[in-house]
Every structure is written in C-alpha cells, then in structure tokens.
Amino acid sequence: MNWVIITFLAYSLICLGITLYVGKTKILNMRDYFVGGRRIGWLGTGMSYMATARSASSMLGDSGLAYLMGYPTIFLGMGMTAVEFLNMLYVGPRLRKFAERYDCTTIADYLEARFEDRARLLRGLCILTIVVFFIAYIAAQYVGMSLAFTTMFGWDCL
C-alpha cells in the first residue's frame, strides 16, 4: 500500500478519535459546541480562526491566483494577515465582551442584541445570508478537496 494513503488514513483515524473523545467528554450543550463554553483562551481561539480561514478555497484559490499573476500576489497574503491581526487585536475583544454581557452565542444573536431588533428581522436576514453564501463556500471546499485528493493519490479526474 502507498505511504501517502497509509499516512492519510492514520491521520484521519487520529482526528476521528480526538473528535469522538472531545464530543463525548467536553461538549455538554450548544454553548460548548459553538463557543467552547467560553473557556478557550486567545491562543486556542486564534488557532481555530486561522485553521478555518486557511481552507481549501483560500489555499487553492490564492496559489492559483499567484500562478496567474506572479509575485504581486504576495501582497494579498500580507494584507490578509495584517487585516486579520488588527481584527483580532481591536474587534475581537470588544465583540467578546459584548457577547458575554448579552449572552450571545452566534452572529445572529449578536446582531439581534446589538441593534435591539425585537422583530428579529436582522436574525432572519443573517441566517438567509449565511445559508446562501455557505452553499457556495462549501461547494468550493468540495472542489478543493477533490483536487487535493486527485493530485495526492494520482487519481484520474474522469
């Protein structure tokens, strides 16, 4: 059997084991699932954010853009990193304090509490926006995953 496949399977089993262990022992309610019960510090939150932000769509898309446009795309990564750093430095702490004060778990909760939306119109608009755009985002993840797998395992696309 190919070492790439063995390594991939071993990694997948380890990730599955960690997921099952944490799911059974640490996640007791929805707040634990969404915001870690508010027990995760800045390092864990930052690592989670960066792992999420560096998904297949950004990794494959940015490298494809660099292939097409060349060295100027270096500034894309530098700019994204600077904006993310400033976001975590200035917006993150304020958002966390507000979310704790008003018991917000999701962005829809935050928008509803922040703008005192009694009619829940912002919540509905937020949910609709998330659903519509996440369909495209998830589609990009599947395309990226399929490209990665076909390249890594040497599979023929057709």
Side-chain angles (χ1 to χ4, degrees):
M1 189 183 276
N2 187 335
W3 280 107
V4 173
I5 295 173
I6 293 170
T7 304
F8 174 75
L9 290 175
Y11 175 77
S12 297
L13 288 173
I14 290 169
C15 287
L16 179 64
I18 292 171
T19 302
L20 292 174
Y21 170 75
V22 170
K24 292 214 181 274
T25 61
K26 305 289 183 192
I27 299 175
L28 307 175
N29 54 42
M30 291 302 282
R31 175 163 288 122
D32 287 343
Y33 178 78
F34 281 113
V35 291
R38 302 203 193 280
R39 295 183 306 266
I40 299 173
W42 64 271
L43 181 61
T45 302
M47 289 173 60
S48 174
Y49 172 76
M50 294 309 293
T52 303
R54 301 297 179 248
S55 61
S57 61
S58 63
M59 293 299 284
L60 293 175
D62 293 348
S63 60
L65 184 65
Y67 177 77
L68 289 174
M69 297 184 67
Y71 291 111
T73 54
I74 290 172
F75 295 107
L76 175 69
M78 291 168 46
M80 285 174 52
T81 302
V83 167
E84 289 167 346
F85 175 74
L86 292 173
N87 190 22
M88 289 295 130
L89 189 64
Y90 295 109
V91 177
R94 291 180 64 204
L95 182 61
R96 181 172 179 127
K97 285 178 189 172
F98 187 94
E100 287 175 348
R101 186 174 346 139
Y102 291 97
D103 195 33
C104 301
T105 304
T106 65
I107 294 296
D109 292 340
Y110 167 76
L111 290 174
E112 186 177 358
R114 171 70 175 84
F115 296 105
E116 299 176 2
D117 182 23
R118 307 279 187 251
R120 303 186 113 186
L121 292 174
L122 279 176
R123 175 180 291 277
L125 182 63
C126 181
I127 291 168
L128 180 66
T129 303
I130 288 171
V131 168
V132 168
F133 287 100
F134 262 62
I135 289 171
Y137 181 77
I138 291 170
Q141 299 307 305
Y142 278 118
V143 169
M145 181 178 60
S146 67
L147 288 172
F149 280 177
T150 57
T151 302
M152 184 170 54
F153 296 127
W155 294 338
D156 190 12
C157 291
L158 297 175

